[in-house]
Amino acid sequence: MFNYRNLRMGNFLTRKKKLVCGILVLLSTATGIFAFDENNKYFLIVKNLDIFAAFYRELDTYYVDDLPPEKTIQKGIEAILDETDPYTDFIAEENLDELKYMATGKYGGVGASINTNGEWTSITDIYPGSPMDKANVKPGDIIESMDGKSMKNIAQDSISKLLKGTPGTTIDIVFRHPLTNATTTKKIARQEINVKPVSYSGFVKNDIGYIKMTQFTENSGDMVRKAFEQLKRTNPGIKGIILDLRSNPGGLLDEAVIVANTFVDKNKLIVSTRGKVKNWDRTYETSGAPADLHIPLAVLTNHSSASAAEIVAGSMQDLDRGIIVGQRSYGKGLVQTTRSLPYNTKLKVTTAKYYTPSGRCIQAIDYSHRGEDGSVDYVADSMRKSFKTISGRTVKDGGGIEPDAKVDPTYLSPVAVSLLRKQFIFDYATQYYYSHPKIAAATAFSFSDADFEDFERFLENKDYSYKTRSEDALESFKTTARKEKYYDAVSKDLEELEQKLKHDKKQDLLKNKEEIKRLLEEEIVNRYYMMEGRIAKGLQSDNEVNKAIALLLDQPAYKKLLTPAK
């Protein structure tokens, strides 16, 4: 996470960067700037920079083949970065727009998600009000060409870059209908796309409000407060609120403080940061009046909840303001700041660790101590220290935010994973959309048994082969047995076991029918009601949400979780 208005934490940029010659300017002038004793750290830095500059100059001059300077020095930078954490990064000029997006949630583009399957790329989601929406483009439409160039066998990343661009510029796209193969040419004007940090808010069951937050970008704190206040206006009898931070990678630190301020009183410590440069150390307190101090609150987390999401969850836990439901969070307690470099490049560097109100740092991976092979490891449980919440509950550092009410994650069956990966659920939803002009409201829609039989017919002669976990385990065992010379002795038994494990795909479909029906319902609803409909439908069978609802409605159980163990 970035400090103040600098940008988000997370390793969202690759390390294939383009370095110009700014480092050479530094190398050529460094020895004239510093003159320190040999034991001084800065002297050692200058000494080795001077050696590096001389080494590269001689290598470039006399090596038998040409060495491209940008590529060669880029490798040097990547080697240095390998000694740091994954969040410290060099940002080339051409990646600054992506950096800006991570802070603001805004980018120039057409407002659609895409997926490449085989030779062609399809539209998978349309953002409401976007250029694609205005052009009446539908999920399932295939991108055949852009500006006269065929998109057959073009990588998804390349197509994504072509779709983005300066707001106001246009792009000519030829779309192919997924069922009729009819083609349509559309001129689409790019605009500024603002990805909403609050993707959904509404009521789930029994007067329980729900807010889904996907990232901590500019103004996201205000949006959470407005969503909550709208829920209270809609239903003054609201009995509790669920703040869903699952799979939220974080973002701006001060937005986390504003989100916390929605439920926490003025002048309360939410987070502090401490690093090598002591005059950069900061404490962050709430500065405004809260929206509600007493409504029962449940914060949902999973292993992909990180950074600013963990600050909110950790502060609610430390201040005993609400309960955490789900799985342990990622454990990213590092703060990044951007520093300007020559030629409009930047360094995103970890400058501090952050600490929740109880004083704990939840950083789970220790990057400061590496093995001989350069590997890093998680903080050992034996090294995790205990801290106390306001009421005296015990919480620990060094391993993310542990939930007060743990809910095991839900894993999809192998057959469901195969159907999703091979896009058969997506393709069937496309077919369903064009044969059903209308469906019921998102939360009322149900995929019938007759529909499921039609889906089974749709899958006939389609390859969705997969291996079960048992088959994978058996294959691994056979490999080990061969290496250890035991295979011949047990081969007959293994072959019999392999035959017993062979799965019938049709039986697997029926065995996992309810799970597959839910996936189909969500994908179909998305065609009619877009992302909000998909989320609303998915909440009905969400284990973490249902657990949170039960606890918010059961006040004795809720209060018990917030009471220190005796």
Side-chain angles (χ1 to χ4, degrees):
M1 167 183 30
F2 286 95
N3 197 0
Y4 192 55
R5 286 289 175 182
N6 287 318
L7 302 181
R8 90 163 44 244
M9 72 171 178
N11 193 16
F12 54 84
L13 295 175
T14 63
R15 287 188 170 170
K16 295 180 178 179
K17 289 119 185 148
K18 182 179 178 184
L19 177 66
V20 205
C21 56
I23 192 171
L24 296 179
V25 175
L26 172 63
L27 297 178
S28 64
T29 59
T31 52
I33 297 174
F34 301 105
F36 293 90
D37 182 82
E38 186 166 314
N39 292 324
N40 188 285
K41 177 181 178 181
Y42 291 103
F43 173 79
L44 294 176
I45 292 173
V46 172
K47 171 185 173 182
N48 285 283
L49 285 174
D50 198 21
I51 291 171
F52 181 84
F55 163 80
Y56 185 79
R57 184 170 55 248
E58 295 298 308
L59 182 68
D60 183 66
T61 301
Y62 297 110
Y63 184 66
V64 63
D65 295 320
D66 285 337
L67 295 172
E70 294 179 1
K71 183 178 179 180
T72 306
I73 297 178
Q74 170 190 323
K75 293 289 186 183
I77 287 182
E78 290 174 352
I80 294 171
L81 290 172
D82 284 342
E83 298 301 311
T84 67
D85 57 57
Y87 316 108
T88 296
D89 222 344
F90 171 78
I91 313 300
E93 183 177 10
E94 60 266 27
N95 290 326
L96 291 181
D97 284 345
E98 190 171 353
L99 195 64
K100 178 183 176 183
Y101 164 70
M102 304 311 284
T104 65
K106 299 175 182 178
Y107 69 96
V110 296
S113 297
I114 59 175
N115 181 65
T116 299
N117 185 32
E119 297 177 328
W120 297 100
T121 296
S122 301
I123 303 296
T124 56
D125 285 286
I126 305 289
Y127 302 154
S130 68
M132 285 287 202
D133 188 22
K134 294 172 185 174
N136 202 33
V137 177
K138 301 295 182 183
D141 286 353
I142 298 163
I143 301 175
E144 188 157 289
S145 69
M146 290 197 287
D147 286 339
K149 180 181 178 182
S150 172
M151 292 295 107
K152 185 178 181 180
N153 291 321
I154 302 297
Q156 183 171 318
D157 285 349
S158 298
I159 293 179
S160 180
K161 288 178 182 178
L162 290 171
L163 290 171
K164 294 175 182 177
T166 305
T169 58
T170 61
I171 183 170
D172 291 322
I173 306 178
V174 176
F175 294 99
R176 187 169 77 249
H177 194 282
L179 302 183
T180 68
N181 288 323
T183 58
T184 306
T185 302
K186 297 177 186 269
K187 182 181 288 291
I188 297 178
R190 300 180 181 92
Q191 69 182 43
E192 184 177 81
I193 306 298
N194 190 357
V195 179
K196 296 179 181 179
V198 176
S199 59
Y200 179 84
S201 63
F203 284 91
V204 276
K205 297 177 185 175
N206 301 315
D207 302 320
I208 300 297
Y210 172 89
I211 299 172
K212 172 67 175 175
M213 192 179 183
T214 58
Q215 56 190 346
F216 286 78
T217 50
E218 289 178 354
N219 302 315
S220 55
D222 289 338
M223 293 181 188
V224 169
R225 177 181 284 257
K226 289 177 181 177
F228 174 65
E229 291 173 342
Q230 178 60 38
L231 290 174
K232 287 183 70 176
R233 284 193 297 270
T234 302
N235 184 357
I238 184 171
K239 295 177 181 177
I241 189 74
I242 298 171
L243 179 61
D244 191 348
L245 300 180
R246 290 175 298 178
S247 301
N248 185 317
L252 301 176
L253 182 150
D254 51 328
E255 293 297 337
V257 178
I258 296 171
V259 171
N261 198 178
T262 303
F263 307 104
V264 174
D265 209 353
K266 186 177 181 180
N267 299 325
K268 294 292 185 181
L269 175 66
I270 299 300
V271 64
S272 59
T273 62
R274 300 196 293 271
K276 183 191 295 184
V277 183
K278 296 305 177 186
N279 62 353
W280 284 6
D281 290 354
R282 295 286 186 273
T283 57
Y284 295 82
E285 297 181 349
T286 53
S287 59
D292 194 307
L293 283 176
H294 305 292
I295 189 169
L297 170 68
V299 180
L300 305 186
T301 62
N302 63 10
H303 191 60
S304 297
S305 304
S307 158
E310 293 176 292
I311 288 177
V312 172
S315 62
M316 296 302 99
Q317 190 175 58
D318 286 2
L319 298 173
D320 296 304
R321 178 58 188 88
I323 59 173
I324 312 302
V325 179
Q327 298 95 46
R328 182 189 292 189
S329 66
Y330 182 78
K332 201 274 188 183
L334 305 176
V335 181
Q336 283 72 52
T337 302
T338 55
R339 306 288 295 170
S340 295
L341 298 176
Y343 298 95
N344 203 27
T345 60
K346 290 185 182 296
L347 169 66
K348 178 168 69 73
V349 56
T350 298
T351 54
K353 293 181 180 179
Y354 72 75
Y355 299 81
T356 64
S358 66
R360 56 179 168 149
C361 179
I362 52 83
Q363 176 63 27
I365 299 177
D366 184 3
Y367 294 104
S368 61
H369 296 89
R370 294 177 178 268
E372 292 183 1
D373 60 352
S375 61
V376 294
D377 207 348
Y378 286 90
V379 176
D381 284 344
S382 60
M383 300 299 292
R384 297 177 65 195
K385 299 176 183 178
S386 295
F387 296 80
K388 295 294 184 180
T389 70
I390 293 294
S391 71
R393 293 187 298 146
T394 299
V395 290
K396 290 190 175 184
D397 69 357
I401 305 298
E402 294 186 32
D404 302 304
K406 183 178 179 181
V407 180
D408 291 332
T410 301
Y411 297 104
L412 293 176
S413 63
V415 62
V417 171
S418 179
L419 293 171
L420 287 169
R421 284 180 177 169
K422 299 192 176 184
Q423 213 166 306
F424 292 135
I425 286 178
F426 179 86
D427 289 343
Y428 182 82
T430 300
Q431 178 178 295
Y432 190 97
Y433 173 76
Y434 284 107
S435 60
H436 296 75
K438 293 181 180 180
I439 63 170
T443 53
F445 173 71
S446 177
F447 195 74
S448 68
D449 288 342
D451 289 333
F452 194 81
E453 291 174 4
D454 186 56
F455 178 64
E456 289 182 276
R457 289 190 291 272
F458 170 82
L459 290 176
E460 289 177 2
N461 302 318
K462 288 184 170 61
D463 178 21
Y464 55 100
S465 57
Y466 52 91
K467 282 188 176 181
T468 64
R469 296 185 183 94
S470 297
E471 286 174 313
D472 280 334
L474 179 60
E475 192 63 38
S476 176
F477 179 80
K478 287 165 64 177
T479 300
T480 302
R482 287 189 181 97
K483 287 180 179 178
E484 297 182 351
K485 314 288 188 195
Y486 293 125
Y487 182 77
D488 290 342
V490 296
S491 61
K492 186 175 291 186
D493 293 330
L494 291 178
E495 287 172 6
E496 289 179 4
L497 180 58
E498 187 172 24
Q499 288 302 314
K500 290 178 180 178
L501 286 177
K502 280 190 178 298
H503 55 278
D504 184 322
K505 290 193 296 183
K506 189 171 182 64
Q507 286 303 312
D508 280 357
L509 276 177
L510 296 175
K511 185 170 65 175
N512 297 284
K513 178 178 177 179
E514 294 307 312
E515 174 189 64
I516 295 168
K517 280 178 67 174
R518 288 197 299 269
L519 294 172
L520 284 161
E521 285 172 349
E522 291 176 30
E523 186 61 50
I524 290 169
V525 162
N526 186 56
R527 303 308 171 93
Y528 299 86
Y529 303 106
M530 296 189 173
M531 187 181 297
E532 286 197 359
R534 182 200 291 269
I535 294 173
K537 188 63 185 174
L539 291 175
Q540 294 179 324
S541 56
D542 191 310
N543 290 340
E544 286 97 332
V545 169
N546 288 327
K547 178 68 172 180
I549 292 170
L551 288 169
L552 290 171
L553 293 174
D554 184 350
Q555 278 301 289
Y558 175 82
K559 291 177 181 177
K560 184 177 180 180
L561 290 174
L562 295 171
T563 303
K566 294 181 181 180

